[in-house]
Amino acid sequence: MIRFLLLFSRQGKLRLQKWFTAISEREKKKIIRDMTTMVLARQPRTCNFLHWKDLKIIYKRYASLYFCLAIENQENELIALEVIHRYVELLDKYFGNVCELDIIFNFEKAYFILDEFLIGGEIQETSKQIVNRAIEASDMLQEGDSSEWFEVELFG
Amino acid sequence: MALKIVKGSIDRMFDKNLQDLVRGIRNHKEDEAKYISTCIDEIKQELKQDNIAVKANAVCKLTYLQMLGYDVSWAAFNIVEVMSSSKFTYKRIGYLAASQCFHESTDVIMLTTNQIRKDLSSPNQYDTGVALTGLSCFVTPDLARDLANDIMTLMSHTKPYIRKKAVLIMYKVFLKYPESLRPAFPRLKEKLEDPDPGVQSAAVNVICELARRNPKNYLSLAPLFFKLMTSSTNNWVLIKIIKLFGALTPLEPRLGKKLIEPLTNLIHSTSAMSLLYECVNTVIAGHDVNGSPFLPPFSLALFLFLRFQLCVQKLRILIEDSDQNLKYLGLLAMSKILKTHPKSVQSHKDLILQCLDDKDESIRLRALDLLYGMVSKKNLMEIVKKLMLHVDKAEGTTYRDELLTKIIDICSQSNYQYITNFEWYISILVELTRLEGTRHGHLIASQMLDVAIRVKAIRVFAVAQMATLLDNAHLMTGNVQRKGICEVLYAAAWICGEFSEHLENPMQTLEAMLRPKVATLPGHIQAVYVQNAAKLFATLLKNQEGNTDRTAAQETSQLMIDRLPLFVQSANLEVQERASCILQLVKYIQKLQQKDVEVAEEVIALFAGELNPVAPKAQKKVPVPEGLDLDAWINEPPSESESEDEQPKAIFAKEEPKHSRARHTEVDEKELAKRREARKQEQANNPFYIKASPSSQKVYQEAPGVEHIPVVQIDLSVPLKVPGLPMSDQYVKLEEERRQKERVEKKKKEKKKRKEKRGGRGKKHDSGPESEEDITPAHMVDIVTEEMPLADSEKLPVRSHRAAEALKSPAEDGDAESPASQEPKKKSSKEKREKKKDKDGDRKVSVKNGNPTRETALWMYIYGAEIDIQGNLQDGSQVVVSVIFENKCDNFLKTMEFNVLDSLNSKLQRPEGSGPHDGLSVPFQLPPGVSNEARFVFTMQSIVMPQKLKGTLTFIIKDSSTHEKLDFKLHFTCSSYLITTPCYSDAFAKLLESGDLKCSSVRLEGVNMPFHHLLARICFHHHFSVVERIDSCASMYSRSIQGHHVCLLVKTSGQTVSIDAKCDEPTLLGNVLDEIKQTFSQC
C-alpha cells in the first residue's frame, strides 16, 4: 500500500501532504525533511526511484512541483509512477491546465480530488471519469449549500 | 436574532478567508512566523463565535497552517464541531481537517463515534463518502470496533461509490480490530464478483493485502482469482492479482503450473511495462521457490525454468532500454536472480559493466551491487580493472568512496576466494592510495595488513611496495584533502617494521620513517612509526654488525639518537612514551657499541617471534591457569564505612591483579616452543589459514615483475602519482599471457593424447601436472566460458554435476560405445577443444549429430544429474537429470523427443497414459544458437549399482524438415545417489559402534595434493561431508537417497591415501569406493 504522498516545490516548500497511516507530528516533520532533501538533490534525467528505510520512494517532477510517493517494499514502482501521473491528470482536468498556484490557493480541492482517487493507501478508482463525476457532484452539493446559506443570511 | 445573524455576516466580511491567508503569507516572506501568529490569534477569536460558517472558515485555514508545520492540535474540538455540521460544505472541511490532524492519541476522537455513525447512514451518498474517507485516516481500534458493523452493511450499499469505499476501509478496520475479519469475509468475497469494476478492484486490493500477511487462508479463492485474471483487462487489477498469486504459489505448487500460460501470454503481449515488470518479478520469485522447502514437482520446476529464461531475456531488454527507470528496475530484478542463479546473471556481464558508465548514480550503484555477486576467479581482474578506471573518472567523493569500498569488498569476499594473484591485489591497494579525499584510508590499511600477515608468500613484494609508500609519504600528507589516506601509512610502517628482513634498503626506509615531517601525522600513526623504527633499527644492527666495519652500526644508532627527540616532544602521550623508551634504549646500545660489544642479537630478541592474526574469540580458548580465580578478591573489598579519602588507595590496589596474572601466564621457554610448534601444525592443516601454498608460490615466481620494478627518482612535479610502483594492469596482462600459454600447452597435450587414443590404446594418461593446474587458482579454461560449470577448485554451492562426470569416463577410456567416439573422423579444432574439456574434468559431454556431412546440428550437454530432494525424502527412488540442449546449426530445431531405453532397474518417468517406450517431447523449440535446459526424472529400483542407460533424441530441422537422430548414453554413478548430509561426531561414533555396517577399504597411491584438497574433492564429487578432521586423518559421512549410511575414514601419509569405509550395503560401498578411486586416478 501507499504510505504517504507529498507535493513540494523546487524550493522545498510543502504544498500537500497525505498520510495513509497514523504517524506522529514529529515523525512527519522528519520524513518531510528527509524527502525534500533527498529528492531535490537528484540530478535531472536520473531514474525516479529511491530506497529509503524499508520504503520505496517514487518521485516525479511536473513543472515546478515534485510529487513524491512512498510505497511499501513489495509494491510495483511503475504502477506508483502511474498513480502520480493519474493524479496530475485529475488535477489538470479539474483546474484546467493546473499550476502550482492552483494547488496553493485551492489546497482543499486538491485533497478532495485525492480522496476520491486514493483511500487508505489503496487505489480507489482507476477511471478518471468516475473520479471527476464524484468531485463535480460533491461541488454541486457544496454550491447548493452556499446559496442556501446566502438565503439564510438575507432573509433569516 | 436577525440582527445577530446580520452582525455575524458583517463580521465575516472582515474575516480572512483561505485565499486571503495564503496571499498574506506570501506577502510576508520576511516575518512569516509573526504574521502567522497574528493569524492564529484571529482564528482563535473566530472559533469562539457561534456561527458555523465562521468556524468552518477558521478550521479550513488551520488545515492549511497545519500543512505548513504549525501545531493545531488545540483546535481538535472545534474540528469535531465543524464535522458535525449538517451542511455538506462544512462537513467536508471538518472531515478534511480531522483526517489531516487526528491520530490515535487524539482524545476527542472518542466523541466522534456517534457523529460518524450518523453520517455513514446518511441518505446523501456524499455525506457517507466523506465520513468514510475521513475514517480511513484516523480510525482507531475503538472506532473500528464500534463501527465495523455499520461499514460492513455499507459494503452492500446500492451505490457502487459507497461500496468501493466501504470495501477499502474494511481493510483498515481489519487491521485495527482483527475480530471483524471473520464475519465480514463472506461479504468481501462476494464483492470479488461485484458488477461494478471499481468495487471489484477494491475487493481484489483488500484480499491481496490480506493474503500477503497470511496466504494460506486465501488459497481457496485461487480459482476465482484465476478467472478474474484471465478475464480482466484492467492492468491495475491484474498487477494486484499477479501479486496475490505470487504469495499463493509457494503454498500450492500446482497453482504455479496453471499460471504458466496466462503469465507467459501476458509477458509476451502486454505493452504496459508495469505489468510486464510485475509478471517478471513474480516469475523470479516463483523460481526462488525451487530452493525453498516447498519443492515443486519436476514438471513445474521445468516450466518455471523456462519462464525464468524468458524473464532473464526480458530483463535484458529492460536494462537496455533508454528509460532510466526501466534500466534501474531491470538491474534491481537481476540482483534478485543473482542470489539464486548467479550463472544466469553472469552471462550479462557486458551489459552490467556498461551500466557503470551511466550518468545516473543510482543505476551505477545498482550495477555495482550486481558486480559483487558476479565475480569469479576468471573475471575478477577484468572487473576490478574496469572499476579502477571508474575510480579515476568518478566525480564526487561519495560515489568514488562507494567504488573503493566495493572494489575491496569484491576482492576480499569470502576470505579472498577469488584472488589468484596477491601481488596484483597489493598493487590495486597501492593504486587506491592515490585517491584524493577518500575517507576509507583505514579500510585500505586493514586490507594491506591482513594480506601481508596472512599471505606469507607476498611479504617480500608487499614490503617493497610499502617501503616505496613510506618514501613518498609526503605526497599523502602534503594536502589537507588527503588526510583520510594517511591511515595507509600506519599499515605501511607496520609492515616494513615487522617484516623488515625483506627490505632491500632498510636504511633508506628508516630514514623515511624518522623524517621531521612525520610529526605532522596523527598520533596513532606516529606511534606505529616510532615502534617500527625500533624494529628496523634492530634488523639494521644485525646486518651491519656482520660487517667488519663497525662505524655503520654506530652511525645508525646516532641517526636514531638524533631524530627520536622530535617524537619525545610529541603532544601525544603514546608517541612520547614509546619514543623516550626507545631513545633510552638506543643510547644504552650506543654506549655498548663504543665498548665494542656486540648487541644486535639481544636487540633483535626484543622483537623476536611472529605475530599471528588472532581470532576475535580466541581469548575464550585460553585455559584459566589452575588455582586462579578471576572473581576472587585479591584484597578484601573496602568496607563501606571507610572514609572517602581512602578510596584512591583501593583503586590502586585493584590494579594489582594485572601483575599477578602476568606472572601466571609466564611460561618457560620450552613450553612456548612446544606451543608454537603445535600452532604451526594447526595452521598447516587449517584450510582457512592462507599460507604460502605451492600454487601461490608458483604464481609469484612466474611473475617476473618484482625484480624489474624500476625504483625511479621521485619526480616532484607530478605529485599525485607514486612513481616506481607497478601498475595492476601489468598483472592482468601477465595473467592473460599465462592463460594463453596454458591453453596452447594443453592443446598440444590434447593432440598427443588424441593420437594415442586413435592408436586404439585406452590406457589412462598420466596427467600429473595438468591435474595440479586444476587446483591452481590461476587455472582457467576459456572455451564456451558462459556455460562452463565451475572448476573443481571453486567450491561454490552450485548444483553439482554428477551423471555427466560419469559420462566423461567412458569417453576417456575410449569406450567404443561412448557418445564422444561417435564423432566423425574429421574434426575441426573447435570440436577438439570441446573434447578436451571433458578430459579436464569439466564434466560436460557433448553428444553430436552423427551426420558427418553437416555442421553439427545440435549439442546436448548432460550437465547434471540431480537427485530430487523431495523425492528422496518420500520414496528415495527419484533422480533428476538436467540436460542442456544447444542448437549449433543455422536452422530452427523443433519437435525434439527425448527417449531412454528403460532397464529393469531404472525407468524414465513418463506422463500418465503413455506407453513404456514412448519418448518425452522436449517442451521447447530451439532457434539457431540458443540453448535451453530440460529436466527428466528417473525412477530407480535399486541404487547399489551404477547404471548406464542408452537413449536417443530425435528432432526435426525446420527448413529441410528432415528427421534427425542423436544417440547418447546416460551414466548414473553410485555417487550420484549419495546426498551430502551433515553428521555430528557423536552420532557418527554411535553409527560406527552399532556394528550394523560392513567394512571395506581402498588404497590410493601417488596422490599428490594437499589433504584438504583431497577432502574437498571427495566432498564435491562424491557428496560426502567431513565429520571430523584431525591432522592428516578425517572421518566423512554421506547418505544415499534410500537411507544407506556411508562412513569413510581417510588417512594420508606421503602420497598414499588409505580409505577405510563402512556401509550397511556392501555392493553400494564397493561401487562408491571404485568411483572415488577413479576420481583420483584421473588427476
Side-chain angles (χ1 to χ4, degrees):
Chain A
M1 72 179 258
I2 301 168
R3 291 289 190 82
F4 58 81
L5 170 73
L6 300 178
L7 265 67
F8 46 84
S9 69
R10 228 170 2 165
Q11 291 78 32
K13 286 245 185 221
L14 199 63
R15 296 302 178 208
L16 186 141
Q17 52 168 326
K18 185 82 193 175
W19 306 86
F20 295 106
T21 49
I23 300 178
S24 74
E25 289 300 321
R26 257 184 71 200
E27 187 72 6
K28 281 183 189 174
K29 279 190 184 146
K30 199 183 160 298
I31 294 176
I32 292 169
R33 203 173 46 237
D34 282 3
M35 287 305 123
T36 43
T37 41
M38 253 169 60
V39 170
L40 292 174
R42 301 276 296 173
Q43 301 290 322
R45 282 192 306 284
T46 52
C47 73
N48 299 94
F49 313 129
L50 291 168
H51 277 252
W52 183 79
K53 296 196 178 163
D54 59 338
L55 297 180
K56 290 174 180 169
I57 309 297
I58 285 82
Y59 72 92
K60 192 156 169 104
R61 186 180 157 178
Y62 287 88
S64 59
L65 212 53
Y66 283 91
F67 289 69
C68 171
L69 197 70
I71 54 173
E72 284 171 1
N73 223 339
Q74 79 286 344
E75 296 288 328
N76 188 316
E77 291 93 336
L78 292 171
I79 213 77
L81 266 183
E82 297 267 332
V83 167
I84 292 179
H85 188 72
R86 180 59 54 94
Y87 182 45
V88 173
E89 282 178 335
L90 289 169
L91 289 173
D92 207 49
K93 179 91 186 161
Y94 184 84
F95 290 107
N97 209 356
V98 66
C99 69
E100 196 182 335
L101 282 179
D102 288 328
I103 295 170
I104 296 172
F105 283 105
N106 301 289
F107 89 110
E108 85 276 24
K109 298 285 183 203
Y111 277 115
F112 293 149
I113 296 170
L114 186 64
D115 285 340
E116 291 300 329
F117 175 44
L118 303 175
I119 197 167
E122 298 288 344
I123 298 158
Q124 178 188 173
E125 185 53 69
T126 54
S127 152
K128 272 184 275 185
Q129 277 177 334
I130 294 179
V131 174
N132 279 326
R133 233 178 282 151
I135 296 286
E136 274 164 30
S138 316
D139 279 356
M140 288 294 284
L141 201 61
Q142 193 168 349
E143 266 163 34
D145 267 1
S146 314
S147 49
E148 206 179 311
W149 184 74
F150 279 117
E151 274 160 38
V152 173
E153 290 279 297
L154 293 173
F155 308 107
Chain B
M1 178 68 195
L3 185 72
K4 205 176 172 189
I5 292 172
V6 171
K7 189 169 173 283
S9 72
I10 291 170
D11 277 350
R12 213 187 145 267
M13 282 163 65
F14 296 106
D15 288 343
K16 289 193 190 81
N17 63 12
L18 178 67
Q19 266 78 7
D20 299 329
L21 176 77
V22 175
R23 221 164 277 141
I25 293 173
R26 290 170 72 82
N27 290 337
H28 289 78
K29 287 223 168 81
E30 269 73 59
D31 51 349
E32 193 184 288
K34 201 179 145 208
Y35 177 77
I36 287 177
S37 77
T38 57
C39 286
I40 289 182
D41 287 341
E42 282 171 25
I43 290 170
K44 280 183 179 162
Q45 287 303 315
E46 286 165 27
L47 287 175
K48 279 185 191 140
Q49 295 188 27
D50 285 338
N51 191 330
I52 191 73
V54 178
K55 271 187 188 165
N57 185 43
V59 164
C60 189
K61 287 193 279 184
L62 278 180
T63 316
Y64 187 79
L65 293 179
Q66 189 267 345
M67 186 179 71
L68 295 184
Y70 292 87
D71 177 36
V72 299
S73 54
W74 49 270
F77 185 76
N78 302 103
I79 294 174
V80 176
E81 277 182 319
V82 177
M83 272 163 72
S84 38
S85 156
S86 57
K87 298 259 170 24
F88 179 70
T89 318
Y90 309 138
K91 193 182 283 300
R92 204 180 187 189
I93 289 171
Y95 271 104
L96 173 65
S99 64
Q100 291 299 103
C101 315
F102 286 8
H103 44 87
E104 284 196 8
S105 51
T106 309
D107 310 332
V108 290
I109 285 189
M110 288 187 304
L111 306 175
T112 58
T113 319
N114 279 322
Q115 179 59 43
I116 295 174
R117 182 172 287 143
K118 210 175 108 200
D119 289 333
L120 289 181
S121 53
S122 157
N124 181 342
Q125 61 165 328
Y126 295 104
D127 279 352
T128 315
V130 157
L132 284 172
T133 312
L135 198 56
S136 77
C137 293
F138 56 77
V139 62
T140 62
D142 284 344
L143 278 179
R145 190 192 57 226
D146 295 342
L147 297 172
N149 261 323
D150 303 74
I151 302 172
M152 214 162 87
T153 323
L154 290 179
M155 282 166 73
S156 315
H157 199 268
T158 49
K159 299 266 172 33
Y161 178 76
I162 298 301
R163 286 207 300 272
K164 74 184 175 208
K165 279 185 198 269
V167 167
L168 285 169
I169 283 155
M170 250 354 243
Y171 177 62
K172 291 270 170 178
V173 174
F174 296 150
L175 289 186
K176 299 284 177 190
Y177 179 59
E179 286 88 335
S180 59
L181 179 56
R182 196 169 287 278
F185 192 69
R187 202 169 285 189
L188 183 61
K189 197 176 143 188
E190 232 173 73
K191 296 298 132 195
L192 283 176
E193 291 175 298
D194 197 279
D196 183 81
V199 181
Q200 210 180 39
S201 115
V204 170
N205 269 349
V206 171
I207 291 182
C208 182
E209 283 295 317
L210 289 171
R212 205 169 48 78
R213 284 159 193 264
N214 188 4
K216 74 172 187 300
N217 289 353
Y218 300 89
L219 267 177
S220 60
L221 293 180
L224 196 55
F225 275 108
F226 195 78
K227 210 175 90 196
L228 274 179
M229 179 166 133
T230 39
S231 59
S232 177
T233 50
N234 183 336
N235 285 348
W236 309 70
V237 175
L238 276 176
I239 287 177
K240 283 280 173 185
I241 296 179
I242 291 168
K243 234 182 232 323
L244 177 84
F245 277 126
L248 294 184
T249 30
L251 301 179
E252 180 50 272
R254 280 175 304 177
L255 199 57
K257 197 172 166 184
K258 267 200 102 173
L259 283 172
I260 295 152
E261 208 191 287
L263 270 186
T264 321
N265 286 346
L266 279 177
I267 291 178
H268 279 302
S269 64
T270 185
S271 57
M273 277 299 175
S274 50
L275 184 56
L276 173 71
Y277 180 62
E278 193 60 50
C279 292
V280 169
N281 247 342
T282 307
V283 172
I284 292 168
H287 204 66
D288 286 351
V289 171
N290 259 343
S292 79
F294 313 103
L295 193 85
F298 96 100
S299 51
L300 177 59
L302 171 65
F303 280 119
L304 281 174
F305 180 79
L306 291 179
R307 291 194 310 176
F308 180 71
Q309 291 292 86
L310 176 70
C311 290
V312 176
Q313 282 164 21
K314 284 279 172 188
L315 282 184
R316 195 180 164 101
I317 296 171
L318 285 190
I319 297 174
E320 279 167 345
D321 201 284
S322 59
D323 184 340
Q324 300 287 46
N325 288 335
L326 298 184
K327 204 179 270 256
Y328 177 86
L329 293 178
L331 290 170
L332 200 64
M334 276 284 190
S335 60
K336 282 183 197 150
I337 298 180
L338 187 70
K339 285 181 202 126
T340 48
H341 297 79
K343 271 208 275 175
S344 313
V345 182
Q346 270 161 14
S347 55
H348 301 289
K349 195 183 74 199
D350 54 323
L351 190 66
I352 288 156
L353 281 175
Q354 255 175 39
C355 289
L356 282 182
D357 295 318
D358 202 283
K359 53 188 180 303
D360 187 348
E361 192 173 302
S362 32
I363 287 179
R364 293 196 303 252
L365 289 176
R366 284 276 145 224
L368 269 183
D369 279 349
L370 273 172
L371 279 182
Y372 178 79
M374 281 170 51
V375 289
S376 65
K377 287 182 183 171
K378 206 166 46 185
N379 61 19
L380 177 73
M381 283 188 178
E382 184 198 337
I383 288 181
V384 170
K385 185 182 164 191
K386 183 102 198 220
L387 290 179
M388 290 300 282
L389 283 178
H390 281 279
V391 171
D392 289 342
K393 280 192 291 186
E395 290 161 12
T397 32
T398 1
Y399 178 59
R400 208 169 38 191
D401 278 358
E402 184 67 27
L403 269 172
L404 188 149
T405 40
K406 261 286 141 38
I407 290 176
I408 290 179
D409 277 357
I410 285 175
C411 292
S412 62
Q413 65 177 309
S414 19
N415 255 320
Y416 308 102
Q417 191 190 357
Y418 299 114
I419 294 186
T420 53
N421 186 339
F422 278 97
E423 264 182 43
W424 164 82
Y425 187 46
I426 292 271
S427 318
I428 288 284
L429 290 175
V430 171
E431 272 173 45
L432 286 175
T433 63
R434 295 178 206 158
L435 274 189
E436 241 176 293
T438 177
R439 53 191 172 80
H440 289 302
H442 62 277
L443 193 62
I444 303 176
S446 68
Q447 285 288 301
M448 285 172 168
L449 285 172
D450 199 35
V451 171
I453 294 170
R454 291 170 68 184
V455 189
K456 273 194 188 128
I458 201 67
R459 284 183 192 160
V460 179
F461 180 78
V463 165
Q465 293 294 303
M466 295 305 126
T468 327
L469 269 185
L470 284 181
D471 233 11
N472 297 304
H474 58 281
L475 298 180
M476 290 189 194
T477 52
N479 196 329
V480 192
Q481 280 220 313
R482 297 175 61 78
K483 276 282 176 264
I485 206 70
C486 296
E487 293 292 329
V488 172
L489 294 175
Y490 178 101
W494 192 87
I495 292 171
C496 284
E498 184 63 23
F499 308 119
S500 49
E501 67 270 21
H502 301 304
L503 272 175
E504 248 179 47
N505 192 348
M507 194 63 203
Q508 191 188 346
T509 312
L510 183 63
E511 272 179 36
M513 279 164 95
L514 293 172
R515 274 183 208 142
K517 254 223 140 163
V518 173
T520 58
L521 288 172
H524 66 285
I525 299 178
Q526 281 186 57
V528 171
Y529 263 67
V530 171
Q531 185 74 14
N532 285 287
K535 291 185 198 166
L536 256 177
F537 172 65
T539 322
L540 267 170
L541 273 189
K542 193 171 175 241
N543 294 349
Q544 290 166 339
E545 276 188 2
N547 303 343
T548 44
D549 187 14
R550 289 288 162 82
T551 51
Q554 286 182 11
E555 272 166 22
T556 317
S557 308
Q558 194 55 48
L559 177 78
M560 291 288 278
I561 290 170
D562 289 346
R563 299 282 177 85
L564 277 175
L566 177 71
F567 297 102
V568 176
Q569 294 160 9
S570 168
N572 187 303
L573 284 180
E574 181 77 21
V575 180
Q576 202 185 89
E577 189 187 4
R578 289 191 191 194
S580 40
C581 225
I582 290 164
L583 182 62
Q584 282 314 310
L585 181 74
V586 178
K587 279 184 180 161
Y588 182 65
I589 291 170
Q590 199 185 30
K591 240 185 241 171
L592 291 174
Q593 278 174 333
Q594 281 157 358
K595 292 180 196 159
D596 265 354
V597 183
E598 293 213 351
V599 284
E601 282 306 325
E602 282 160 58
V603 178
I604 221 154
L606 280 176
F607 307 107
E610 192 181 348
L611 290 178
N612 284 319
V614 178
K617 287 179 185 160
Q619 181 62 44
K620 277 188 198 154
K621 296 193 174 163
V622 178
V624 178
E626 225 174 294
L628 175 69
D629 181 3
L630 288 172
D631 296 326
W633 286 97
I634 289 164
N635 286 351
E636 277 307 304
S639 64
E640 281 175 26
S641 61
E642 266 178 325
S643 60
E644 279 187 18
D645 55 358
E646 273 183 72
Q647 268 188 343
K649 234 183 185 174
I651 291 168
F652 185 71
K654 264 185 196 163
E655 294 207 349
E656 264 191 7
K658 243 190 200 168
H659 303 291
S660 60
R661 210 183 308 166
R663 229 172 289 143
H664 270 285
T665 45
E666 259 171 40
V667 209
D668 58 320
E669 204 44 43
K670 264 190 206 162
E671 176 65 21
L672 255 178
K674 221 164 87 186
R675 282 191 196 171
R676 198 169 294 153
E677 201 49 47
R679 197 166 54 230
K680 266 186 195 159
Q681 195 65 39
E682 194 187 272
Q683 281 168 9
N685 293 331
N686 185 355
F688 300 111
Y689 186 83
I690 304 175
K691 48 199 169 269
S693 72
S695 51
S696 64
Q697 191 87 48
K698 195 160 144 266
V699 172
Y700 169 66
Q701 283 162 355
E702 271 181 7
V706 204
E707 285 83 356
H708 305 290
I709 302 161
V711 181
V712 192
Q713 208 55 41
I714 309 150
D715 181 5
L716 283 175
S717 61
V718 196
L720 282 182
K721 202 154 165 91
V722 181
L725 294 178
M727 299 291 289
S728 56
D729 293 358
Q730 186 178 325
Y731 293 97
V732 181
K733 246 181 248 157
L734 268 173
E735 183 69 21
E736 273 165 17
E737 279 168 22
R738 206 174 59 80
R739 278 186 218 167
Q740 184 69 29
K741 216 169 73 190
E742 256 169 32
R743 224 164 15 222
V744 174
E745 264 170 30
K746 274 199 176 167
K747 227 187 258 176
K748 273 187 204 155
K749 259 184 209 153
E750 202 45 46
K751 265 185 195 157
K752 238 199 239 161
K753 273 184 203 166
R754 201 162 282 281
K755 269 182 204 152
E756 278 174 41
K757 200 190 265 176
R758 269 192 216 145
R761 284 192 288 160
K763 81 161 195 189
K764 292 191 178 97
H765 305 285
D766 173 33
S767 45
E770 210 177 354
S771 74
E772 208 194 299
E773 288 295 330
D774 265 350
I775 314 156
T776 314
H779 169 64
M780 235 58 72
V781 198
D782 65 348
I783 319 155
V784 206
T785 45
E786 307 303 4
E787 291 136 17
M788 197 181 68
L790 294 156
D792 291 5
S793 46
E794 300 176 90
K795 286 162 225 106
L796 283 181
V798 277
R799 299 201 223 98
S800 44
H801 314 289
R802 294 161 208 176
E805 192 215 352
L807 263 169
K808 163 196 73 177
S809 49
E812 206 171 39
D813 293 341
D815 190 333
E817 345 158 276
S818 86
S821 63
Q822 289 178 352
E823 280 184 46
K825 285 273 150 57
K826 272 188 267 171
K827 289 179 181 78
S828 72
S829 69
K830 194 180 164 197
E831 282 164 20
K832 267 186 226 159
R833 265 185 289 162
E834 187 62 43
K835 188 76 197 310
K836 183 200 71 181
K837 253 160 44 77
D838 305 342
K839 288 265 180 56
D840 292 344
D842 269 318
R843 302 178 300 283
K844 187 186 284 180
V845 144
S846 53
V847 183
K848 212 182 78 68
N849 183 2
N851 187 349
T853 55
R854 194 193 305 275
E855 265 296 319
T856 325
L858 182 74
W859 292 78
M860 185 170 143
Y861 301 111
I862 301 182
Y863 91 102
E866 273 180 86
I867 290 152
D868 182 353
I869 294 167
Q870 196 181 36
N872 85 69
L873 289 178
Q874 281 160 6
D875 59 9
S877 60
Q878 280 197 350
V879 179
V880 179
V881 178
S882 302
V883 184
I884 287 186
F885 299 93
E886 184 178 356
N887 185 354
K888 287 277 187 177
C889 71
D890 299 331
N891 296 313
F892 203 91
L893 300 183
K894 59 176 189 176
T895 336
M896 287 188 280
E897 233 180 52
F898 178 93
N899 200 2
V900 170
L901 211 58
D902 289 350
S903 70
L904 273 178
N905 189 25
S906 28
K907 289 184 172 55
L908 174 63
Q909 257 190 18
R910 298 176 167 86
E912 271 175 50
S914 51
H917 304 295
D918 293 352
L920 273 183
S921 66
V922 180
F924 46 79
Q925 302 185 338
L926 281 180
V930 169
S931 64
N932 208 338
E933 188 192 77
R935 295 185 190 183
F936 302 96
V937 176
F938 288 83
T939 319
M940 301 287 172
Q941 290 281 317
S942 154
I943 57 158
V944 298
M945 297 281 281
Q947 290 266 332
K948 273 185 198 170
L949 291 185
K950 272 189 187 173
T952 49
L953 183 81
T954 53
F955 53 92
I956 295 175
I957 295 173
K958 207 169 187 181
D959 295 331
S960 58
S961 54
T962 46
H963 241 91
E964 298 283 344
K965 200 177 121 195
L966 189 63
D967 291 319
F968 60 87
K969 286 185 75 175
L970 285 173
H971 193 144
F972 295 92
T973 58
C974 282
S975 298
S976 59
Y977 304 129
L978 296 183
I979 306 161
T980 314
T981 320
C983 182
Y984 292 108
S985 50
D986 44 348
F988 188 76
K990 249 182 219 158
L991 200 60
L992 289 180
E993 279 166 13
S994 67
D996 302 334
L997 309 181
K998 312 281 182 302
C999 195
S1000 177
S1001 64
V1002 69
R1003 274 173 87 83
L1004 310 171
E1005 300 286 348
V1007 177
N1008 189 14
M1009 63 171 78
F1011 191 54
H1012 60 271
H1013 281 170
L1014 178 114
L1015 293 185
R1017 219 163 234 260
I1018 297 178
C1019 288
F1020 184 72
H1021 290 300
H1022 304 285
H1023 319 126
F1024 279 87
S1025 61
V1026 177
V1027 180
E1028 209 171 3
R1029 186 186 150 183
I1030 304 149
D1031 296 337
S1032 56
C1033 179
S1035 48
M1036 306 179 89
Y1037 176 78
S1038 185
R1039 242 178 91 157
S1040 79
I1041 52 172
Q1042 294 182 350
H1044 306 292
H1045 303 284
V1046 189
C1047 309
L1048 300 185
L1049 184 65
V1050 186
K1051 282 183 245 170
T1052 175
S1053 59
Q1055 298 204 338
T1056 315
V1057 178
S1058 70
I1059 302 177
D1060 294 311
K1062 281 190 171 183
C1063 176
D1064 37 13
E1065 176 52 67
T1067 334
L1068 176 71
L1069 182 63
N1071 287 319
V1072 170
L1073 287 181
D1074 283 348
E1075 283 162 18
I1076 292 178
K1077 209 170 170 177
Q1078 209 174 8
T1079 307
F1080 287 98
S1081 67
Q1082 283 159 14
C1083 57

